[in-house]
Amino acid sequence: MIKQWTNFFTELYANPWVRTVALTLYYLAILAGLILMYGKGDFSAPSFIYQAF
Amino acid sequence: MKRIHLLPALWALILVATALNSGVLYAQVVESHYVRVMAPQFLRVNNLGSALQKIALRQPDWLLVYGSSEIVDEVLGYTAPEVFRTFPTGFAPYEIAQGGENSLVLAQEVAALGPDLRGKKVVISFTPSMFFEPMIYSGTYAGLFVPLRANELAFSTQLSYATKQEAARRMLQYPKTLEKEPLLRFALERLDSDSPLDRVLYYAVWPVGKLWTLVLELQDQWQALTFLWARPELQQPAPHVLAAIDWQALEAKAEQEQEAHANNNPFGFDNTIWVAHYQNPAPDSDPFGYDQTAITNLQQTLEWTDLDILLRTLKEMGAQPLIMSRPFNAMYWEARGVTAQDRQAYYDRLSQLVASYGMPLVDFRDHETDKYFNTDAASHTSRKGWVYVDKAMDQFFHGTLR
C-alpha cells in the first residue's frame, strides 16, 4: 500500500509542472512563515523616565 | 538540481512581493481616508511609527507639528488642535509629541519620513528646559526609541555620511537601546569610526539594512492599519468651517482665564501646578524645581549637538521647518538668581544655530516678563501662550510669518 502511494507520488513529482507547483508552494509556505513570525513586530516601548519637558 | 528550485523560488518571491505590495497599497488607501477626514487629535500610534505621518504629509491641510510636553499638556481650550479644530483658516495641526521628546529622537523621527518630507512645512517645538540636563537621560531616550526610525536614519539615502556619522556617535551613547538591534549597532559602530575599512563595511551592510528597514516599514503599516480598524470613530468627518480668527479677542479671553487660574503665586504659574510642585518644594525629587545648575547645564549640554543634528537632518531632507521655542518666566528665574544675561545666552545661541541653517525661528523672548505666558518654570505653555503659538503656526502655514 505504502509502496503504491510512494510510486504514485514519485511519478507525479516527475511531471515538471507538478514539481514546479509543489516547490512554489513549499517556498511560499516558508515565506508565509517568516511573515507570520516577523510581520507583527514589537511595538512595546521600554519603561519611560520623564525628564520634565 | 539547483535550477529545479530556482524557478519555484522566484515564483514564490514574486507572489509574496505582489501580495505585500497590494497590502501596503490597501493600507495606504485606508490610512489616507482616515487622515483626510479625521479631526485634529493625538494618535498614540504616531509615537510608535511613521506610516500615518507620511500620509498626513501628503495632505494639503495638515501641518505636522513635532514637540514634547509643551504640546501634549492638558487641554486648556486654546491649544492648536482646539483652535484649529474646524480648519478655520484652511489647515489644522497634525501633532506628534510626547513628554521628553528631544532633538536626537526628533532627528530620527523626521529622517523616517523619507523623501515625502521634501518641500513640506513642519513645526519643531520645544522649551528651554530641553537643555537643562547635561544630556538626555538614558531612560527617557530608551522610552522614546523606535527601531524603525533609528534604522531609517542609519540607512538613509537622503542624509549625508557626515550627518549619519554625527547621529551615530550620539546614538551609540545609549547602548541599551541597541542591545536587540545587532544590525543597527553594527552600522552605527562603522559610522562612528573614521577608518576607510569601516566605511567599506558600512556600505557592505547597507543593502541588508535597507531590507531590514523595509521589514520594519511593513510592520509599521500593519500596526497603523490595526490601530485604525480598532478606531472606527475616527472616520466621522471633521467639519471644515472657514472663519477668520480674531486673535486679539482670543488673547484677551485667554489672558483673563489664565489670570483666574494663576492667582495663588507671584509667578503666574497655574494654581494646581504651583501647589503640586512649587509651594512646598522638594528640590531633590521635584523635576520642576530649577536653579542655577540648570543654566550651567544649558551652556554645556549635548542637547546643542543633538539640535544641530536635527537641523542638519531637516536641511538635508529638504524640509521647510519652523523652529519654535518658548520664553523663560523671568520672574521665577530672577528669584532663583538667574540673570537676564544668563537667559539671553540661550536665546542668542539658539538664534545663531538656527540662523546658520537659514531657518525661521520663533522663541517668544519678548514674553519673558509676561506673567501669564507659561504655566510653570519648564516653560509649558499657558492658555495665553497658546494663542501666540497658534497665531505663529497660522502665519507660518500661510507664509505670512515675519
Side-chain angles (χ1 to χ4, degrees), chain B residues 339-382:
Chain B
T339 64
Q341 200 181 355
D342 289 331
R343 302 191 302 274
Q344 188 62 35
Y346 166 76
Y347 299 120
D348 289 346
R349 187 161 178 184
L350 182 62
S351 304
Q352 281 166 16
L353 183 58
V354 175
S356 71
Y357 287 94
M359 294 170 183
L361 166 72
V362 177
D363 58 17
F364 302 107
R365 67 176 79 181
D366 296 343
H367 292 274
E368 264 216 331
T369 53
D370 188 339
K371 196 175 168 184
Y372 299 111
F373 197 92
N374 299 321
T375 60
D376 58 21
S379 297
H380 289 119
T381 311
S382 71

Side-chain angles (χ1 to χ4, degrees), chain B residues 96-234:
Chain B
I96 306 109
Q98 46 186 334
E101 284 258 345
N102 55 83
S103 305
L104 189 59
V105 171
L106 284 171
Q108 293 164 37
E109 207 157 342
V110 295
L113 296 174
D116 289 316
L117 187 57
R118 186 156 295 280
K120 300 287 167 46
K121 288 182 176 177
V122 289
V123 176
I124 305 292
S125 165
F126 51 82
T127 63
S129 58
M130 189 169 79
F131 300 82
F132 287 172
E133 298 295 334
M135 63 193 271
I136 188 80
Y137 296 161
S138 56
T140 305
Y141 179 81
L144 300 165
F145 181 79
V146 177
L148 165 68
R149 296 171 183 164
N151 276 276
E152 295 270 20
L153 186 147
F155 300 107
S156 169
T157 44
Q158 275 92 43
L159 296 178
S160 67
Y161 193 86
T163 299
K164 286 187 276 190
Q165 195 169 38
E166 279 296 307
R169 284 175 179 156
R170 284 288 293 121
M171 289 160 77
L172 283 167
Q173 290 178 351
Y174 301 96
K176 266 192 110 54
T177 56
L178 304 171
E179 278 173 2
K180 291 181 188 167
E181 305 291 330
L183 181 63
L184 176 64
R185 190 179 63 232
F186 181 82
L188 294 177
E189 283 169 351
R190 303 291 72 74
L191 281 165
D192 177 37
S193 164
D194 283 321
S195 87
L197 176 64
D198 280 315
R199 200 169 178 131
V200 169
L201 284 172
Y202 168 77
Y203 283 118
V205 84
W206 184 87
V208 188
K210 271 306 219 194
L211 205 60
W212 180 239
T213 308
L214 186 67
V215 171
L216 294 174
E217 282 175 3
L218 290 171
Q219 292 177 354
D220 186 29
Q221 287 290 352
W222 176 248
Q223 182 203 208
L225 201 57
T226 50
F227 174 84
L228 294 177
W229 279 339
R231 302 281 303 274
E233 73 275 12
L234 292 177

Side-chain angles (χ1 to χ4, degrees), chain A residues 27 38-39 46 48-51 53, chain B residues 5 69 99-100 129 137 140 219:
Chain A
Y27 283 114
Y38 297 105
F48 175 71
I49 299 171
Y50 180 48
Q51 202 168 322
F53 63 81
Chain B
H5 284 263
S69 53
S129 58
Y137 296 161
T140 305
Q219 292 177 354

Side-chain angles (χ1 to χ4, degrees), chain B residues 382-393:
Chain B
S382 71
R383 294 165 181 81
K384 183 184 179 186
W386 263 109
V387 176
Y388 282 91
V389 169
D390 296 337
K391 193 177 175 185
M393 282 184 194

